[in-house]
Amino acid sequence: DQQVKQNSPSLSVQEGRISILNCDYTNSMFDYFLWYKKYPAEGPTFLISISSIKDKNEDGRFTVFLNKSAKHLSLHIVPSQPGDSAVYFCAARENFNKFYFGSGTKLNVKP
Amino acid sequence: SQTIHQWPATLVQPVGSPLSLECTVEGTSNPNLYWYRQAAGRGLQLLFYSVGIGQISSEVPQNLSASRPQDRQFILSSKKLLLSDSGFYLCAWSAAPNYGYTFGSGTRLTVV
């Protein structure tokens, strides 16, 4: 049973607009959340993270929001650029050794 | 700086053949090492992790095994590949848990 879910397999956004990628989790013991970006035939690269004691973390065009009561995580990209087109994975940490990943959302930013 | 190397990039193997994928990390010592698999249309599934030489934890029962013969070397193996072993295999390392993992470039395995 998946503990981290990304229910939207794909998302298409116009360049300059906001991209919102969503992630839901079931385990209330998760204490740290990350977003990774993945291009085809490459390994995922770390994008942004958030601790469970916070509800927002911002880094340039990327902002991650955490709603613990809803067990929901989202990544906002503003403004979206064509180079942002990739698969985005959310991940949640159960303990030092284990991260659980969602199934990914493929973002397509149209010029 | 730390780097992670994973090879080969692509591999086509017949059913029943053995498998050996290697991952090495440079620029750090005593890293936590991980093997993940991404099957078609699915997320990243943790297969094995290791917190030290000779220490292997398996997350899912399967046809694969892992070994850590040296501090910065992690090997994924199989004695006899199955069609269901096809997928994209990723090695990763972590030293500081708050930064998650650093992934290798992956190996695309196709079992025919």
Side-chain angles (χ1 to χ4, degrees), chain B residues 46-93:
Chain B
L46 178 62
L47 302 177
F48 301 96
Y49 69 92
S50 172
V51 298
I53 295 175
Q55 298 179 6
I56 307 293
S57 296
S58 174
E59 285 297 296
V60 291
Q62 59 206 318
N63 184 41
L64 303 168
S65 62
S67 61
R68 185 170 178 175
Q70 300 180 37
D71 180 44
R72 290 169 288 177
Q73 184 185 30
F74 205 25
I75 297 172
L76 183 69
S77 305
S78 174
K79 292 182 179 179
K80 290 184 178 182
L81 283 169
L82 306 173
L83 287 174
S84 57
D85 291 325
S86 294
F88 191 58
Y89 288 83
L90 288 156
C91 179
W93 77 274

Side-chain angles (χ1 to χ4, degrees), chain B residues 4-67:
Chain B
I4 179 167
H5 302 279
Q6 188 180 342
W7 67 92
T10 59
L11 191 60
V12 180
Q13 292 283 97
V15 169
S17 64
L19 172 74
S20 180
L21 301 180
E22 188 164 344
C23 173
T24 59
V25 180
E26 296 178 357
T28 188
S29 59
N30 196 31
N32 281 7
L33 296 172
Y34 306 83
W35 279 110
Y36 275 84
R37 176 172 62 198
Q38 182 185 15
R42 302 192 64 181
L44 299 173
Q45 180 186 34
L46 178 62
L47 302 177
F48 301 96
Y49 69 92
S50 172
V51 298
I53 295 175
Q55 298 179 6
I56 307 293
S57 296
S58 174
E59 285 297 296
V60 291
Q62 59 206 318
N63 184 41
L64 303 168
S65 62
S67 61

Side-chain angles (χ1 to χ4, degrees), chain A residues 10-67:
Chain A
S10 63
L11 175 68
S12 188
V13 173
Q14 202 68 37
E15 181 179 6
R17 299 292 187 96
I18 184 172
S19 295
I20 301 177
L21 297 103
N22 294 305
C23 180
D24 296 296
Y25 61 95
T26 58
N27 189 343
S28 58
M29 298 302 293
F30 289 148
D31 67 345
Y32 203 74
F33 303 88
L34 304 96
W35 283 94
Y36 282 84
K37 179 179 178 180
K38 183 181 180 301
Y39 294 113
E42 294 183 9
T45 55
F46 170 74
L47 191 58
I48 193 170
S49 64
I50 188 168
S51 166
S52 60
I53 63 174
K54 296 186 176 181
D55 54 21
K56 178 183 174 181
N57 187 27
E58 192 172 352
D59 183 3
R61 296 186 297 114
F62 302 91
T63 303
V64 56
F65 294 92
L66 176 63
N67 182 334

